[in-house]
Amino acid sequence: MTNLNIVILAAGIGKRMQSSLPKVLHALAGKPLLGHVLDAAKTLSPKKICVVYGHGGEMVQKVINDNEIIWVKQEVQLGTGHALLQALPYLDAEGVTLVLLGDVPLIKVDTLDRLIAKATENSFVLLTAELDVPFGYGRIIRNQATGAIQAIVEEKDASNSQLAIREINTGIMVLPNSHLHNFLPRLQNKNSQSEYYLTDIVAMAVEAGLMVDAAHPVHNWEILGVNSKAHLAKLERINQSECANNLLEQGVMIMDPSRIDVRGQLICGRNVEIDVNCIFEGTVQLGDDVKIGAHCILRNVSVSSGTTIFPYSLLESAEIGKGCHVGPYSRIRPGTRLYDEAHIGNFVEVKNSNIGMGSKANHLSYIGDAVIGTKVNIGAGTITCNYDGAFKHQTIIEDDVFVGSDTQLVAPVRVARGSTIGAGSTITRDTPEEQLTLSRSRQVSISSWKRPKKDKA
Ligand code: UD1
Ligand code: MG
């Protein structure tokens, strides 16, 4: 089909979400519902995409922030037919229009391809599904003798025998533009909800002698809509389980596919293992043989091959080299780069710092705005004092430095190559190479000293 237009209906109020956020902006896998629908739409390379918005529309435009979209306002929500009518002036005279729903986010391109494959300038193609429980959907009325589709009847207008029909209207359909221009303005609202039903266009097409065909989704869960937080939570789990299964198929060992959340893109090499309850956000890349321990959160991080992230670690906007150890209980903040074989241990926070090859900070430290060379050992409890209350300053630690435990490095300061810093030092000036530098008063013992005691009553 050469001329494809897409209209996404997204003006509904979403009352049952019980939220001030417009429904289509609620997040599924970290992305607004509408964003998922737009991604699917764009994969089809349409000539144009219109989004019909209403409630909270300005906020929707701002969040989605996409200047390829034609935004069409539906001032009052008078029904799906009225919604599509608002977009009619923007649709081409020829070709077809795919109607998508902004609150049906799991729809997949394979399913839409099936639908579009059947579209012609003279046929209406509906995406329909057979459901065990058709409750809440419009029903597909077929001619009992020929099986041809005749109409869609909304649940609220259906007779008891029609309610028993299990083939439902998903709301997603492909309609020929030339006929839309003719039929849409003629829709009426003489029904139980006094709405302009887009679905009435089917009976109109049948009456005009046009062909009405149906295609079915690859998976029935693709057509589920979000009307409440409970629906949203259900779709989130469906989506996550799909994602986990895809990763397992690619050879990633997910210890429990029901306990992983991917909110973005997770790209894995070979032999990757992910223990339970990990969350991946933004774009996360894991190289070959990477192991992620239980309860880790990684956000926009790349981890090179052979590295292990031990449990309960939080990493954000960082680049982790090969063969590194991180955690348990490490916090790696934005702007951090660990070179190969670096070790960051428990209760160590690293921010905006480079940790050179083979260097280690294994226990209880804060390293901020630091450049650390190769084979450096940072003793337990070491802190870079990078902030003077107004400005941030840099700490430079050159290769082969040994920093004793409980050291404060008051930035800006440079610890030169091969320096050793005695434990418990407060270093305020640059140190010379290859020497022991320490700042502490000499240890004394006072023989006459008596420990204070409470008087006995
Ligand atoms: C609609 C279909 C029904 C189908 C169901 C699938 C009609 C008349 N009925 O019913 O056959 O089984 O979807 O979920 O089409 N919208 C607007 N403006 C409006 C009304 C709705 O933009 O004035 C948008 C909504 O934001 C939503 C979509 O259209 O994305 C569907 O609207 P909704 O009210 O959920 O329709 P249903 O009654 O569920
Ligand atoms: Mg609905």
Side-chain angles (χ1 to χ4, degrees):
M1 184 53 59
T2 48
N3 203 2
L4 177 66
N5 296 168
I6 295 182
V7 178
I8 303 175
L9 304 184
I13 294 164
K15 225 191 276 170
R16 282 191 281 158
M17 297 300 283
Q18 306 283 3
S19 170
S20 50
L21 192 68
K23 177 158 81 175
V24 292
L25 289 186
H26 283 77
L28 180 112
K31 192 196 301 190
L33 297 176
L34 182 56
H36 289 269
V37 183
L38 279 167
D39 285 352
K42 287 191 172 181
T43 318
L44 301 168
S45 311
K47 211 174 138 195
K48 56 183 80 161
I49 300 177
C50 300
V51 175
V52 181
Y53 70 94
H55 179 73
E58 287 65 32
M59 200 206 276
V60 176
Q61 285 184 43
K62 221 164 122 191
V63 171
I64 298 293
N65 187 25
D66 182 331
N67 51 23
E68 282 173 40
I69 294 172
I70 301 168
W71 293 96
V72 182
K73 183 151 194 181
Q74 185 190 24
E75 293 285 352
V76 271
Q77 279 67 64
L78 300 179
T80 50
H82 180 261
L84 189 58
L85 183 65
Q86 309 311 301
L88 192 61
Y90 304 95
L91 301 181
D92 294 324
E94 288 170 352
V96 298
T97 292
L98 167 65
V99 177
L100 296 172
L101 308 181
D103 56 0
V104 179
L106 299 183
I107 192 73
K108 295 286 174 279
V109 175
D110 286 350
T111 289
L112 296 176
D113 281 340
R114 284 183 180 186
L115 191 66
I116 293 166
K118 291 191 168 181
T120 72
E121 299 271 353
N122 277 310
S123 57
F124 286 55
V125 194
L126 310 176
L127 186 69
T128 75
E130 289 271 345
L131 300 185
D132 292 337
V133 185
F135 176 74
Y137 293 93
R139 307 297 203 280
I140 305 295
I141 311 297
R142 288 180 183 265
N143 180 305
Q144 287 189 338
T146 64
I149 293 176
Q150 299 200 297
I152 298 174
V153 59
E154 287 308 295
E155 182 159 274
K156 289 189 174 132
D157 304 292
S159 66
N160 279 339
S161 63
Q162 287 170 331
L163 286 175
I165 296 170
R166 288 175 38 225
E167 186 182 9
I168 60 95
N169 171 36
T170 65
I172 294 170
M173 51 186 82
V174 182
L175 311 167
N177 287 347
S178 58
H179 297 293
L180 270 184
H181 284 282
N182 177 14
F183 294 156
L184 264 188
R186 287 166 37 205
L187 286 176
Q188 300 200 341
N189 63 352
K190 293 187 188 124
N191 50 55
S192 65
Q193 304 185 77
S194 300
E195 280 185 10
Y196 295 89
Y197 291 164
L198 175 57
T199 44
D200 284 349
I201 210 165
V202 172
M204 280 180 168
V206 170
E207 200 173 314
L210 297 168
M211 156 102 154
V212 181
D213 206 345
H216 310 296
V218 179
H219 311 281
N220 272 355
W221 49 255
E222 291 177 48
I223 60 109
L224 295 173
V226 175
N227 293 308
S228 65
K229 296 267 164 78
H231 290 159
L232 186 56
K234 181 179 166 194
L235 265 60
E236 179 75 41
R237 289 338 301 165
I238 292 172
N239 182 62
Q240 291 301 344
S241 117
E242 269 308 288
C243 180
N245 288 336
N246 286 338
L247 289 164
L248 285 165
E249 252 168 58
Q250 289 164 33
V252 180
M253 189 56 228
I254 312 255
M255 293 311 173
D256 181 353
S258 70
R259 284 186 289 169
I260 180 170
D261 286 83
V262 180
R263 301 173 188 154
Q265 216 195 351
L266 175 60
I267 305 154
C268 295
R270 296 180 75 78
N271 307 324
V272 168
E273 289 180 20
I274 300 173
D275 211 335
V276 300
N277 289 334
C278 291
I279 301 176
F280 300 90
E281 295 186 341
T283 303
V284 174
Q285 261 178 301
L286 306 179
D288 296 348
D289 305 301
V290 165
K291 291 186 173 59
I292 310 289
H295 304 279
C296 288
I297 302 174
L298 281 75
R299 187 177 296 137
N300 296 314
V301 168
S302 80
V303 181
S304 296
S305 57
T307 285
T308 300
I309 312 290
F310 292 94
Y312 294 101
S313 295
L314 168 57
L315 294 81
E316 183 175 4
S317 302
E319 213 180 307
I320 312 298
K322 293 180 191 162
C324 293
H325 289 188
V326 176
Y329 298 102
S330 293
R331 177 158 184 220
I332 307 292
R333 291 173 52 199
T336 295
R337 178 159 182 200
L338 304 193
Y339 286 77
D340 297 351
E341 313 284 336
H343 290 193
I344 299 296
N346 38 205
F347 307 108
V348 176
E349 175 182 353
V350 185
K351 185 215 75 169
N352 190 35
S353 295
N354 283 357
I355 311 292
M357 206 175 13
S359 291
K360 296 175 182 173
N362 273 330
H363 327 269
L364 302 157
S365 277
Y366 172 63
I367 299 169
D369 303 307
V371 177
I372 296 180
T374 62
K375 295 221 157 54
V376 168
N377 187 78
I378 305 284
T382 297
I383 287 171
T384 56
C385 310
N386 61 330
Y387 186 49
D388 61 13
F391 302 102
K392 299 279 168 68
H393 302 280
Q394 197 178 45
T395 300
I396 295 172
I397 301 176
E398 296 182 354
D399 298 349
D400 298 312
V401 163
F402 183 98
V403 180
S405 297
D406 195 25
T407 294
Q408 299 94 53
L409 299 161
V410 181
V413 70
R414 174 186 293 265
V415 182
R417 202 176 54 77
S419 296
T420 299
I421 308 293
S425 295
T426 302
I427 301 298
T428 54
R429 282 175 287 126
D430 293 358
T431 70
E433 287 185 9
E434 307 285 352
Q435 291 184 30
L436 170 66
T437 301
L438 70 167
S439 75
R440 44 165 126 103
S441 51
R442 189 176 285 266
Q443 178 168 332
V444 291
S445 299
I446 301 164
S447 59
S448 59
W449 185 79
K450 290 268 181 295
R451 190 185 289 176
K453 279 189 184 135
K454 278 186 186 164
D455 289 339
K456 279 189 186 144

